Amino acid sequence: MTKAADAIRVLLVDDSAVVRGAIGRIVDAAPDLTVVTTAPNGQVALDALKHVAVDVVVLDIEMPVMDGLTALPLIVARHPATRVVIASSLTQRGAEVTMQALALGAADYIAKPAARSGAGALQSLAVEIASKIRAIGRAARARATPRPPTTAPVTTASAPRPPRELLAASSEESVPRMLAIAASTGGPNALAEVLSGLPADFPLPILITQHMPPLFTSLLAQRLERDAGRPCHEARDGEPVLAGHAYVAPGNFHMLVLSQERQPFIRLQQTPPEHFCRPAADPMLRSVAALYGPSTLAVVLTGMGEDGRLGCQEVRARGGQVLVQDEASSVVWGMPGAVANAGLAHSVLPVQAIAGAILSRCGATVG
């Protein structure tokens, strides 16, 4: 296959030749992706990176000589323009080490192809692997490419103005009573940054939809509770929504909030995926907007695709407020970019500034 001249350059690191071959075939089947070299362990990968330009490293964890958790921080430190994607097995052990890797600086993860998977599952997995590598590689390359100088002032403080009908619906902003956060690629670290910036006595309930499969979402909730020092757990169907608590949508379920006798509660659903995701942010945001109306504060963090755009449109239509992460601090500016480019965001901010903006809009002071 003829490759594009600007194809995303990939380094595959795995001690299994079978896995390297399986992922390599997926990468090389895409005209805009190319495997430039492979390595059987982390040390060989580090040596290769001295001599070969690479956009994305696909990194296994358990390898001889130097494992992935040892190699990862070295790659991040020595090659800051290169992004690392973890090749993970969807098991409890695989989820645990993948979450460690994300905390150490990995951009995202992909599931390892399994020989026993059916043809349909393998095809779906191949699409996901290629899509993630492509999006992360393009974002990494764009960030590393110097932008032409401009004499116009540059600001990330606000997005384009929303359509007239949305401005009319939200001219009088209410104090938020619910915080709903959406994230995908790069989300775990961004979520930890935002939640850690909120005080322990932050009173709003927080609903979180992060694109992740089962096992991973429960570990994410544990990490966020530890890092942010607030109650946080994987949501359970029918449980009440309590002030000061954070709820993570479990893998394979959309998370909604409904109300019975004026008491909000969680509803988990396995309705069809949206944007190829379950959980997806749009169902959560629609339900929050319907229940809380102008008292909704939605935040869209780094992630691939456009999930969250339609939900934020509903939030704005009902008078709620929307904040999004800026491109410079996002691993991939897909989800927040879609919201910002649609003119739905009140503010477009570096991830480090989002907690302060939340507190400001809730009438609190930072610190």
Side-chain angles (χ1 to χ4, degrees):
M1 175 184 292
T2 302
K3 293 290 180 177
D6 60 347
I8 300 301
R9 302 178 295 266
V10 182
L11 164 60
L12 301 180
V13 189
D14 199 297
D15 61 326
S16 167
V18 173
V19 172
R20 294 198 304 271
I23 298 177
R25 285 189 291 273
I26 292 170
V27 172
D28 280 333
D32 57 344
L33 306 177
T34 186
V35 176
V36 293
T37 189
T38 65
N41 60 63
Q43 184 58 64
V44 175
L46 286 166
D47 292 341
L49 286 167
K50 297 176 183 177
H51 308 288
V52 180
V54 172
D55 299 303
V56 178
V57 176
V58 178
L59 183 66
D60 187 26
I61 295 295
E62 297 182 354
M63 297 177 290
V65 185
M66 181 185 287
D67 64 23
L69 289 181
T70 302
L72 171 59
L74 297 176
I75 295 172
V76 170
R78 297 176 186 178
H79 306 279
T82 299
R83 294 293 177 264
V84 179
V85 175
I86 298 300
S88 172
S89 58
L90 297 182
T91 62
Q92 183 69 32
R93 168 64 180 162
E96 290 171 353
V97 296
T98 299
M99 293 303 295
Q100 292 179 48
L102 293 174
L104 288 171
D108 205 352
Y109 63 91
I110 58 172
K112 285 187 178 184
R116 289 175 290 181
S117 301
L122 284 174
Q123 177 59 32
S124 176
L125 184 60
V127 171
E128 179 182 350
I129 289 172
S131 297
K132 284 191 174 184
I133 293 174
R134 178 180 298 112
I136 291 169
R138 285 177 178 172
R141 187 174 288 179
R143 197 166 286 113
T145 302
R147 299 191 178 190
T150 176
T151 57
V154 177
T155 178
T156 58
S158 60
R161 290 173 62 82
R164 185 180 301 274
E165 62 271 18
L166 294 183
L167 283 170
S170 60
S171 58
E172 294 185 6
E173 297 171 359
S174 298
V175 175
R177 293 189 295 118
M178 167 62 78
L179 174 59
I181 307 179
S184 184
T185 309
N189 289 345
L191 285 164
E193 175 87 28
V194 172
L195 266 62
S196 297
L198 300 176
D201 60 353
F202 181 72
L204 270 63
I206 303 172
L207 300 185
I208 299 168
T209 291
Q210 161 76 45
H211 296 163
M212 275 186 163
L215 298 179
F216 288 72
T217 46
S218 62
L219 293 170
L220 173 64
Q222 292 172 27
R223 176 192 172 185
L224 294 177
E225 180 172 78
R226 181 178 65 251
D227 289 355
R230 73 178 58 256
C232 181
H233 64 268
E234 194 177 52
R236 298 182 290 270
D237 187 56
E239 71 174 313
V241 174
L242 303 177
H245 287 241
Y247 305 85
V248 175
N252 206 31
F253 288 88
H254 297 309
M255 177 176 65
L256 286 68
V257 59
L258 305 177
S259 179
Q260 185 173 32
E261 297 180 353
R262 303 179 66 85
Q263 171 60 57
F265 67 94
I266 299 290
R267 174 63 73 219
L268 301 180
Q269 295 183 343
Q270 288 191 309
T271 47
E274 298 191 24
H275 308 281
F276 308 100
C277 297
R278 193 171 62 202
D282 277 340
M284 174 187 72
L285 292 170
R286 288 195 301 264
S287 73
V288 171
L291 185 59
Y292 290 88
S295 297
T296 301
L297 177 55
V299 175
V300 181
L301 301 176
T302 173
M304 286 173 50
E306 295 192 351
D307 187 25
R309 179 178 62 83
L310 295 177
C312 285
Q313 182 172 309
E314 189 67 18
V315 170
R316 288 300 307 263
R318 293 178 180 265
Q321 303 176 57
V322 177
L323 307 175
V324 304
Q325 185 173 349
D326 70 357
E327 185 173 9
S329 67
S330 295
V331 174
V332 176
W333 207 55
M335 289 168 52
V339 175
N341 291 331
L344 298 170
H346 286 80
S347 295
V348 181
L349 301 162
V351 68
Q352 300 88 346
I354 289 177
I358 291 170
L359 293 173
S360 176
R361 290 182 179 272
C362 291
T365 58
V366 179

